Amino acid sequence: MSRDHSNILVLIERFGQGGTEKLTSMVAEELARRRGGRVYYGTVFSETGRNFYPGTAEPVCLEIPAAHSPWGKVINYARKLRRLSRLKRRLGIGLTISALWPVDWINVLTGSDRKLCIVVINIFNNAQNARMVRHHRLVSYVYNHADRVVVSSASILREMTEGFAVEPGRVRQIRNPLDLQAIERNQAERLPPVIESFLDRHAILVFAGRLQDVKNAVALVPIIKEVNRRTGAKLLVIGEGEDKVPMQELLTKVGLTFADLEREAGTVEEGAVVQFMRFQQNLHQIFARCRAFVLPSKGEGVPLALLEAMACGVPVAVSDCPNGGPAEVFGVVPPGEHVARTVTLATPAGYLLPVPEASRQDTITQWADAIVDMLQDRAKSLAMGGEARRIASGYGLEQVMPQWLEEVDRLIAAPRQA
């Protein structure tokens, strides 16, 4: 195939339900719609599973099998480099956009195309990225050889330029985009009557995200126990992951009932304090009927689930993560100067709280007090929801995508940097 510099590949490691997958699929879709040319949406592993965010970009896959041994992983390193090089040549790729380290490094080390790497998760003070900190020189080398590194927050920009010594001219901050029109349409969709009635009759807190250690959903168990005792509120947990079983075991241990809320079947177990629901394509019609969005994460960049809940007019209670992402959303500290707080801060859009830990009762109490305040002071809660919607409006596609288009056009037109 002749080399067409307008052909773009957007590459992720595998399909998933997280914010990174949603961001990359949205970028691919908008580039295909607004810019023209051929846009491909690629994954690395062959067992990619369900694409939670399907679009019109052409799907491709490197067909890398899962490795179950150290030697298998070494073999996969070579496979990834070889197959991505071949794919770029076959498709005539002029620009590859990759997201997160597992694909950023193979993107930068393959092909003569331009390379744009998306970093949306903080690396320092984040246990899931500890290996990147240990291999500091390699990370610095890779990102200094990308044509552009796009980051979602000022704190990540600072990590790149100061922590990894990436040349400032290679790094640009672009906000995570929200499709505000789609969110508005989604809110108007009807739920099964039984579920809609359940959400309307009860004070529901909602968490949405992967159930894994960094999201810290297990810490919601002692929090909802206290909140339920004081207000009767319930918790809806949307998502899947390895922490689901430990969370359910802890619920049983502390004497709280739980059940699976089956949206498709339209069934609800009324007496359960905690309801679990599988990932939903349309979260917004659920968010809009809940009293508060809760995000107890240990580390975040600029979480899309938080922004989407805010766009639905829902007040939020969120960890003031050490990296500062949520604090930047609320605009409570100058960019890059964040120190995680140990006491509650009430903002016009919701609460910033210390990361909750079951072993630190003071953090559990602060979370419970903040949530109870939102539930009991309806006027304050509505005002917070209105301010949350106003903040989220600044992340709309119409504001953000022109920056992406500008960056893509500049990279495709310009010669490679050294």
Side-chain angles (χ1 to χ4, degrees):
M1 176 182 288
S2 63
R3 192 159 186 257
D4 178 355
H5 288 274
S6 70
N7 289 356
I8 297 172
L9 170 64
V10 179
L11 186 68
I12 58 173
E13 189 175 29
R14 50 166 54 89
F15 292 137
Q17 56 185 279
T20 300
E21 293 84 359
K22 191 165 194 175
L23 166 65
T24 51
S25 67
M26 194 180 308
V27 168
E29 189 73 6
E30 290 298 313
L31 288 176
R33 183 175 71 86
R34 295 171 184 248
R35 192 177 179 279
R38 303 188 74 169
V39 177
Y40 300 88
Y41 190 55
T43 52
V44 171
F45 288 104
S46 53
E47 66 288 353
T48 52
R50 174 189 170 193
N51 182 1
F52 291 97
Y53 309 107
T56 60
E58 300 177 54
V60 293
C61 182
L62 299 185
E63 300 292 347
I64 303 293
H68 302 289
S69 68
W71 180 240
K73 291 180 180 180
V74 171
I75 293 173
N76 269 355
Y77 291 151
R79 283 175 173 155
K80 291 173 183 177
L81 293 170
R82 184 171 61 251
R83 293 186 187 182
L84 182 57
S85 293
R86 290 175 179 171
L87 182 70
K88 288 181 177 183
R89 288 197 301 271
R90 178 168 64 84
L91 299 180
I93 298 300
L95 169 68
T96 299
I97 300 172
S98 56
L100 302 183
W101 176 254
V103 287
D104 285 343
W105 72 269
I106 61 171
N107 178 23
V108 170
L109 298 180
T110 57
S112 59
D113 58 319
R114 261 68 77 184
K115 296 97 168 45
L116 186 155
C117 300
I118 305 174
V119 183
V120 294
I121 300 175
N122 290 82
I123 298 169
F124 293 96
N125 298 315
N126 190 339
Q128 66 180 341
N129 289 326
R131 187 173 298 178
M132 293 179 67
V133 178
R134 290 198 300 271
H135 297 287
H136 179 277
R137 290 185 179 179
L138 175 61
V139 174
S140 178
Y141 174 87
V142 166
Y143 288 123
N144 268 306
H145 284 76
D147 295 282
R148 187 73 73 245
V149 180
V150 170
V151 300
S152 60
S153 71
S155 59
I156 302 177
L157 188 150
R158 189 175 186 181
E159 287 186 3
M160 286 288 110
T161 57
E162 297 182 13
F164 290 106
V166 178
E167 298 170 12
R170 294 185 189 269
V171 187
R172 180 174 180 182
Q173 182 182 347
I174 300 179
R175 287 181 163 186
N176 287 344
L178 292 178
D179 189 340
L180 297 173
Q181 292 183 349
I183 290 173
E184 186 174 352
R185 290 194 304 270
N186 287 345
Q187 290 179 73
E189 288 187 10
R190 299 302 300 270
L191 287 159
V194 172
I195 294 177
E196 196 167 279
S197 175
F198 173 78
L199 295 176
D200 289 342
R201 287 198 316 276
H202 298 283
I204 305 291
L205 315 176
V206 61
F207 165 91
R210 298 183 306 276
L211 298 181
Q212 59 181 203
D213 181 67
V214 71
K215 293 297 183 179
N216 201 27
V218 175
L220 290 171
V221 173
I223 294 170
I224 191 58
K225 181 179 181 180
E226 177 63 17
V227 172
N228 177 260
R229 182 186 66 80
R230 293 163 62 179
T231 68
K234 299 176 183 289
L235 172 66
L236 174 60
V237 177
I238 305 174
E240 298 287 338
E242 60 268 23
D243 273 4
K244 183 174 181 178
V245 171
M247 189 174 183
Q248 292 179 337
E249 290 174 346
L250 184 56
L251 286 166
T252 299
K253 183 177 180 180
V254 302
L256 292 180
T257 54
F258 63 88
D260 288 321
L261 195 159
E262 296 290 345
R263 175 175 176 166
E264 294 78 8
T267 59
V268 177
E269 189 173 317
E270 285 280 344
V273 174
V274 179
Q275 303 278 347
F276 287 89
M277 180 182 281
R278 293 191 298 273
F279 173 85
Q280 303 294 306
Q281 193 69 39
N282 181 357
L283 294 170
H284 312 118
Q285 62 184 168
I286 298 172
F287 287 166
R289 288 180 167 83
C290 293
R291 294 286 296 277
F293 178 84
V294 291
L295 187 64
S297 292
K298 298 176 182 178
E300 289 286 353
V302 178
L304 272 175
L306 171 67
L307 293 174
E308 290 180 356
M310 294 172 70
C312 294
V314 181
V316 298
V318 57
S319 295
D320 190 18
C321 304
N323 312 102
E328 286 185 38
V329 171
F330 293 120
V332 299
V333 293
E337 299 179 14
H338 178 257
V339 176
R341 64 186 58 259
T342 57
V343 295
T344 301
L345 174 67
T347 80
Y351 285 93
L352 277 171
L353 299 124
V355 177
E357 300 177 38
S359 60
R360 292 183 52 205
Q361 183 57 41
D362 63 309
T363 63
I364 302 301
T365 300
Q366 287 185 66
W367 271 78
D369 288 346
I371 292 169
V372 168
D373 183 56
M374 285 193 291
L375 294 175
Q376 293 183 339
D377 192 335
R378 191 62 173 148
K380 177 188 287 188
S381 178
L382 290 171
M384 285 180 166
E387 176 63 12
R389 183 181 283 111
R390 186 197 66 78
I391 291 173
S393 68
Y395 291 78
L397 285 174
E398 296 308 317
Q399 293 97 316
V400 175
M401 281 311 299
Q403 298 174 59
W404 273 103
L405 293 168
E406 175 189 20
E407 202 60 63
V408 166
D409 288 340
R410 181 186 294 123
L411 287 176
I412 287 178
R416 289 288 314 278
Q417 294 187 34

